[in-house]
Amino acid sequence: FRSGNSHANSLMRLAKDWNRFGGEYSSGRGEESRTVQLKWDPTKMPKELSVEGNRVVYSGGTAQKYCAVVTEEPFVSGYHEWEVTLESCGNDNVGPGNQMRDTFVGISESPTVAQYCGSNATSWGYYANNGHGYHASSKNYGKPYKVGDVVSVRLDCDAGTLSFSVNDEDQGVAWSDLNCKEFYPSVSLYWPGDTVTVVYVRGDAMGGGSSSSSSFSSSFSSSFSPSSPNTDLFARPENL
């Protein structure tokens, strides 16, 4: 850590940035403990979803359909890495067999995701079922994943790259041509009972913090549009 006025000014700047997003900051005896809880917009939350800390649960309804959650505030610069753990699936006659294979993990340049992240030209998603990357269309990308797996997302806003890992196994760069100005982390669930946890593990906190050791839990706001042109809102993508 830096010392003197430089260190003090850095801490003040971090605290100011995190307070803006509803965060908490504490430090003592030369160590920093940081927690940021991003805000939710309850007016946009799909009725099927509920939030418990950093856990997102498909808790309402009995019919399957895609419900997407995105952060209320986007990342606008710097490097960011967060983990999505596919924690548990529904216990009906479908969930245990499906094993959360219809989950999408990714980002959006819009604060609304009508279907799953990757379903259009303004979002990018990594599909659990076949490991394909989706950005309006699909392409071969990485390995499939399922319940119990941890998907790490690595976003470099400045370089315009998006990469993923599954259980610490690097899947490589999925996209290297991101040129939008704002990036909203996103997760899409399909089956009632599906549950994920999302934790920010390192990076430049909202473009204003230190990339060396920052760590915070990300709470998500969600957005859901009842219609989307030329698409079936609730349909799963083809298993290409």
Side-chain angles (χ1 to χ4, degrees):
F1 294 110
R2 290 163 292 185
S3 59
N5 291 335
S6 176
H7 178 57
N9 290 337
S10 176
L11 297 184
M12 291 177 65
R13 176 167 54 84
L14 287 172
K16 181 179 179 180
D17 286 344
W18 292 333
N19 284 335
R20 175 187 170 198
F21 296 101
E24 299 175 355
Y25 172 82
S26 64
S27 64
R29 307 184 76 91
E31 298 181 353
E32 297 174 55
S33 175
R34 310 167 188 171
T35 300
V36 167
Q37 198 79 17
L38 300 184
K39 297 177 182 178
W40 291 80
D41 185 348
T43 65
K44 294 181 180 179
M45 184 176 297
K47 63 182 181 181
E48 292 83 4
L49 299 180
S50 61
V51 180
E52 304 167 1
N54 61 359
R55 180 179 290 113
V56 178
V57 184
Y58 196 138
S59 59
T62 57
Q64 64 272 17
K65 65 179 181 180
Y66 272 115
C67 291
V69 293
V70 299
T71 52
E72 184 174 284
E73 296 289 344
F75 296 130
V76 297
S77 64
Y79 175 83
H80 305 276
E81 182 176 344
W82 61 97
E83 292 180 346
V84 180
T85 301
L86 280 66
E87 190 171 286
S88 61
C89 55
N91 58 6
D92 57 15
N93 61 344
V94 176
N98 182 265
Q99 294 288 290
M100 297 189 71
R101 289 189 175 93
D102 286 309
T103 302
F104 278 85
V105 175
I107 61 172
S108 173
E109 67 174 289
S110 169
T112 61
V113 177
Q115 299 184 76
Y116 49 87
C117 48
S119 62
N120 54 34
T122 60
S123 61
W124 297 257
Y126 179 21
Y127 187 32
N129 191 48
N130 54 20
H132 285 192
Y134 281 75
H135 176 52
S137 60
S138 68
K139 66 176 184 178
N140 291 326
Y141 170 58
K143 65 184 296 183
Y145 56 95
K146 63 185 187 303
V147 67
D149 290 336
V150 179
V151 179
S152 299
V153 189
R154 300 185 301 278
L155 171 66
D156 191 325
C157 299
D158 302 326
T161 61
L162 180 65
S163 307
F164 299 88
S165 295
V166 177
N167 300 327
D168 294 325
E169 181 182 343
D170 186 15
Q171 303 300 298
V173 176
W175 289 277
S176 59
D177 56 354
L178 305 179
N179 57 12
C180 55
K181 302 299 182 183
E182 297 181 333
F183 303 92
Y184 296 83
S186 179
V187 175
S188 304
L189 303 179
Y190 188 74
W191 295 96
D194 287 354
T195 302
V196 298
T197 57
V198 185
V199 178
Y200 188 106
V201 293
R202 63 180 58 85
D204 306 310
M206 304 310 294
S210 170
S211 61
S212 60
S213 61
S214 64
S215 176
F216 58 82
S217 297
S218 294
S219 176
F220 283 83
S221 70
S222 46
S223 53
F224 184 83
S225 173
S227 63
S228 181
N230 303 318
T231 57
D232 181 352
L233 178 61
F234 304 135
R236 288 177 290 169
E238 294 294 330
N239 185 11
L240 300 176

